[in-house]
Amino acid sequence: MADRSDSPNGADRPTVSVVITTYDRPSYLPGAVETVAEQTYDPVELIVVDDASPTMASEVVSTDAHDFSSFEIVRHDENRGPNAARNTGISAASGEYIAFLDDDDRWVPEKLDRQVARFEAGDPDLGVVSTGWKRVHDGSIEEIWLPPDVTGDVTKALLCENVVGTQSAVMVRAGIAKRVPLDERFPRWADQEWYLSLSTECAFDRIREPLVIHEFETHNRISYDTAKLYEGHRLFVEKYRPLAAEYGPVMERKMRGWADFRAGKSLLHIGEYGMARRFLISAVRWYPLEPTFYAYAGSSLGGRWTHSAARSLNEITPLG
C-alpha cells in the first residue's frame, strides 16, 4: 500500500470504487491489484469481477492482503464478456466515483488522486474524466497516447472517433454509470459506444498526462474475429445514426464515413485487404471531406504491397 500519510483524512474524501475485470489471466491479476494498492488516493473500494475464469480469482489474490476500505471478488457462473463484467462491477460499486482497470494494465500512483481533484474542481455536470496512456515493452516506452483537446460536450466527436481512450483511463461519476450501463450486445467498439452513450448525459474532461500503462506483450495482440467487427459496426451505425442525423445530414454522412473508416482500418491491420478496401472506399463516398480516408483507401488498393509502401512512405499506422 502506498504511503498516504500526506493525504487528507480518507473519511473526508469521496470513496472511489475500482473495478478490475478479469478472465483467464492469473499471472496478471495480482499486479493489477497491487497497482491499485499503490495509489496515493484513499479511500478506495476494490471490486474484482471474475468472468468465470478457469483459475478462480479468489485463488490468485486474497481480499485480506491489502488495506482497502473494502475488497470483494464477484464471480460470474459463466463467461459473459467484458461489458457484462463491467456492468456487474458498476452494480456492486458503492463509491461516488468508479474507475476501471483491465487486469493487464497498470496505473501510476497518482492517477486516482489526479482524477478526483479534477472532478472536485469541475462543474456539477462533469461525469467522466480520462487520462493519457503509454505503452511499454521491456521497460521502454513504445508509444504515448495523449487525449485530444476535446472536452465538455463530446458527443459529436465520439460519433466519429474514440477521443477518450481505453477504459483503464476513465473515471466516471457513479450515479451516471449506474444510470447508463454498457450495452452488452457490442462485441467490438464497446468503449467508444459507452462513452458516446454517457456523453448524452454529462460533460467530459481529460488529464493529458499518460497515467495508464499498457503492457506491449498483451495489448499488441490482434483480434482476427471479423464477425465481431462487422457486428460491432452494424450495431454502432444502427444505434447512433439517428443521433447523428439530429445534427443534420452532413453530420450523419460524416458519422457513417467514420464508422466505415474504423472498420476498414482494422481490417487493413489484419491483412483482410479486400474487405478493408470496400469499407475504406465506402468511407470516402460517405464523407469525401476527410483527407485521411483517401490515404488509407489508397493504401488498400494493391493489397499487402501498397499497404506496406504506404506505411513506409506516409507513416500510416493502422488501428488495432
Side-chain angles (χ1 to χ4, degrees), residues 10 22 35 54 69 72 77 85 98 101 116 121 172 187 192 221 238 243 274 280 301 307:
T22 186
T35 201
S69 63
E72 67 173 315
D77 293 333
I98 303 175
L101 179 64
V116 172
V172 184
Q192 182 177 349
R221 294 174 303 182
E238 178 183 274
L243 176 61
L280 292 168
L301 294 178
H307 181 217

Side-chain angles (χ1 to χ4, degrees), residues 20-29 48-57 60 74-82 85 101-104 218 221:
I20 298 177
T21 54
T22 186
Y23 176 72
D24 198 23
R25 285 201 284 244
S27 63
Y28 283 91
L29 181 57
V48 172
V49 181
D50 178 355
D51 196 21
S53 298
T55 301
M56 292 192 297
V60 178
V74 182
R75 179 175 169 84
H76 287 169
D77 293 333
E78 60 182 7
N79 183 258
R80 296 168 52 194
L101 179 64
D102 289 342
D103 58 8
D104 52 353
T218 54
R221 294 174 303 182

Side-chain angles (χ1 to χ4, degrees), residues 39 99 107-115 168-170 211-212:
Q39 291 296 297
W107 290 338
V108 303
E110 299 79 20
K111 175 184 178 290
L112 296 183
D113 246 324
R114 296 282 304 279
Q115 287 180 298
S168 291
V170 303
L211 305 182
V212 176

